[in-house]
Amino acid sequence: MATSNSSPYAPSLTDEEIMASLRARVRSRMDGATAAAMRASGVDYAYNFGLSIPQLRDLASELPSRLSLAQKLLSAQLREMRILGLLSFPPETLTYSQAISFAKSLETEELLSLFSTHLLAKNENVVACFPQGESLRVQRVWLNAHSRRLLQNLPTSGLAQAIETTLERLSAQPETLSITEMDWLERLYNNEEWAKQISLVLRSWMQLPEEHPLRNVASDLLSL
């Protein structure tokens, strides 16, 4: 978030004044063709001005780190304002119950991905609490956050529990394998510390029938 010297928003401005300024700045950058292409590809919002994520990151970098502002942005109907809410949400204030609520309620894959990698992944205490009893949708949000932390070489508290729970679930329910789990397993296997944790299970999957999806995943990883 912005420092007091770099932000165009004076500390005295209210959340509503900042949001009014943001709406005008977002509207001035509107890209109708991109917004239409997103709708055609299934990325559907009530209102979408077609700004790119890099453009929105630039705008978010100027915002004050203020929870009340982030919450108001997230309650807006415009795609860009909601993304700005996620990007400007102070990660240290995120609670486990809020994270579960976000994982359940955010409607698009774009919002879920940004929440996972740009908010949840930055709060070590919350991401360490793997949501074992929650839906696959919620668990995959946590797996994406763990992948982000692995990529950035950040501490991985709670990852052992996530590994145990997910490998048990895949072994019992191989039909739940998705691209999220495949990417996460590859990230683990490419990490020297965690590769040892999953190698035994991968080798057991190699004993499955030749066309079994878990055997294919294990074969791909063990050949790296």
Side-chain angles (χ1 to χ4, degrees):
M1 292 303 99
T3 65
S4 58
N5 293 327
S6 63
S7 175
Y9 302 107
S12 59
L13 288 179
T14 65
D15 294 344
E16 288 71 22
E17 289 170 328
I18 293 174
M19 289 180 69
S21 171
L22 275 175
R23 286 191 192 94
R25 297 177 72 187
V26 167
R27 184 179 291 277
S28 72
R29 293 163 171 78
M30 182 176 179
D31 186 336
T34 297
M38 291 175 70
R39 282 194 298 275
S41 65
V43 181
D44 197 18
Y45 292 87
Y47 301 98
N48 180 0
F49 285 173
L51 272 69
S52 69
I53 297 300
Q55 286 178 302
L56 293 170
R57 284 201 192 99
D58 286 344
L59 289 173
S61 70
E62 299 174 346
L63 293 174
S65 183
R66 191 188 297 173
L67 179 60
S68 60
L69 174 61
Q71 290 172 327
K72 288 184 176 70
L73 288 167
L74 280 163
S75 68
Q77 295 191 55
L78 178 63
R79 165 185 173 265
E80 285 72 13
M81 300 293 266
R82 299 186 70 191
I83 291 175
L84 288 169
L86 289 174
L87 296 178
S88 64
F89 197 105
E92 68 279 3
T93 70
L94 183 70
T95 66
Y96 179 77
S97 61
Q98 284 177 321
I100 292 292
S101 178
F102 278 131
K104 290 180 176 180
S105 64
L106 292 173
E107 305 94 335
T108 70
E109 287 299 320
E110 181 181 44
L111 292 174
L112 273 177
S113 177
L114 286 169
F115 165 69
S116 180
T117 58
H118 292 276
L119 182 50
L120 178 59
K122 294 179 181 178
N123 189 311
E124 182 181 359
N125 292 330
V126 175
V127 80
C129 300
F130 192 72
Q132 290 177 265
E134 296 292 342
S135 66
L136 289 182
R137 169 192 169 101
V138 173
Q139 291 186 21
R140 285 171 178 152
V141 170
W142 257 254
L143 294 183
N144 281 330
H146 276 299
S147 290
R148 182 72 169 190
R149 292 184 70 83
L150 283 168
L151 182 64
Q152 297 179 329
N153 294 313
L154 295 172
T156 50
S157 302
L159 183 53
Q161 181 63 66
I163 291 172
E164 180 182 351
T165 300
T166 304
L167 293 182
E168 285 181 357
R169 186 249 299 170
L170 290 174
S171 295
Q173 300 173 287
E175 70 278 5
T176 65
L177 177 70
S178 76
I179 190 66
T180 296
E181 285 86 1
M182 292 169 66
D183 288 347
W184 176 72
L185 287 168
E186 182 174 355
R187 188 83 64 200
L188 287 172
Y189 197 71
N190 286 329
N191 182 284
E192 184 176 354
E193 177 185 358
W194 294 104
K196 299 174 184 177
Q197 303 289 321
I198 67 170
S199 291
L200 186 61
V201 172
L202 292 178
R203 291 192 179 94
S204 74
W205 288 353
M206 289 298 295
Q207 308 307 312
L208 295 168
E210 191 169 326
E211 297 304 317
H212 197 287
L214 295 182
R215 174 170 175 159
N216 293 334
V217 169
S219 177
D220 289 343
L221 292 176
L222 292 171
S223 65
L224 292 176

